[in-house]
Amino acid sequence: MKNFFVILGGMGTLATTNFLNDLNNAYKPNSDQEYLNYMVLNHATIPDRTSFILKKSKENPYDFLKEDVESVDKLDPDFYVITCNTAHFFYEDLKKLTKKPIINMIELVENKLNELKKPSTIGLFATEGTIKSRLFTDIIERCGHKALVSSKELQENINDCLYKDVKESGQINFERYHKTLDKMLEEGADYIIIGCTEASYINSEDEKRDSYPIIDSEKELVNESLKLGLKLQKNIEI
């Protein structure tokens, strides 16, 4: 196959499926042959990234991601995407494994933050691993904004939305999700970064999503993948 990209997924499976749905819904071609070429690695058995970052587990997810990249790189894809925010903790090491670009979802959010017209307070709906690694906190501060530090209770609510509801039950608790977003706004957030692809899955299904000032990392990755994929496959600029 030529003119294709690789999706490093399975972290988790519902989040990866949601990325595919969002990608295909963002582009409506007239025939089967006009869709984008891509390969999906739904590597569901990759150990939990947050557990490793928080030193609750010694199983290193990088070893599994390394295996994935090395396995498919010989097929000569044009670029990679990673459908997990927390997995970007390993981004710099993964870049060393291939000469092909790996699209950085965190940097795409940074671009959106740079578009804000004034310094703002930014809430972060993300795993504790993402927060501890400062993946988003550093870019928030670099862009001249202030990161809202969630209270312990608020972070527990975020964790429940991501782990209890989506990862463990495969369900969405919109009441819990909306209450958590509302609490973040009450605590001073001007914007909220959806920094976990499980939360992006919730956001995709949320009929009230336009009511909140959200910057969704997964949606930015969808847009970038579509732009690069169309240019690569059909020489179309969007």
Side-chain angles (χ1 to χ4, degrees), residues 12 18 25 36 130 215:
N18 184 66
N25 287 332
L36 298 179
T130 295
I215 300 172

Side-chain angles (χ1 to χ4, degrees), residues 1 3 24 27-38 230 233-234:
M1 183 165 58
N3 299 326
N24 291 326
Y27 176 54
K28 299 294 184 181
N30 296 314
S31 69
D32 288 343
Q33 291 72 32
E34 293 181 73
Y35 280 95
L36 298 179
N37 293 333
Y38 52 78
L230 286 174
Q233 191 169 319
K234 304 186 180 301

Side-chain angles (χ1 to χ4, degrees), residues 61-121:
Y62 170 75
D63 296 334
F64 295 75
L65 289 163
K66 179 176 182 288
E67 176 188 345
D68 289 344
V69 173
E70 291 179 340
S71 295
V72 299
D73 206 55
K74 63 189 71 173
L75 299 178
D76 198 29
D78 290 278
F79 63 90
Y80 292 86
V81 300
I82 306 172
T83 57
C84 173
N85 289 272
T86 315
H88 282 68
F89 177 79
F90 311 101
Y91 178 81
E92 293 300 326
D93 288 330
L94 291 172
K95 273 205 317 181
K96 298 173 184 177
L97 301 175
T98 176
K99 294 181 180 179
K100 303 298 183 178
I102 302 177
I103 308 308
N104 190 318
M105 187 156 42
I106 313 302
E107 290 180 356
L108 296 177
V109 172
E110 183 174 8
N111 294 339
K112 295 297 291 185
L113 291 174
N114 278 323
E115 293 176 5
L116 300 182
K117 295 181 179 179
K118 62 179 182 179
S120 303
T121 299

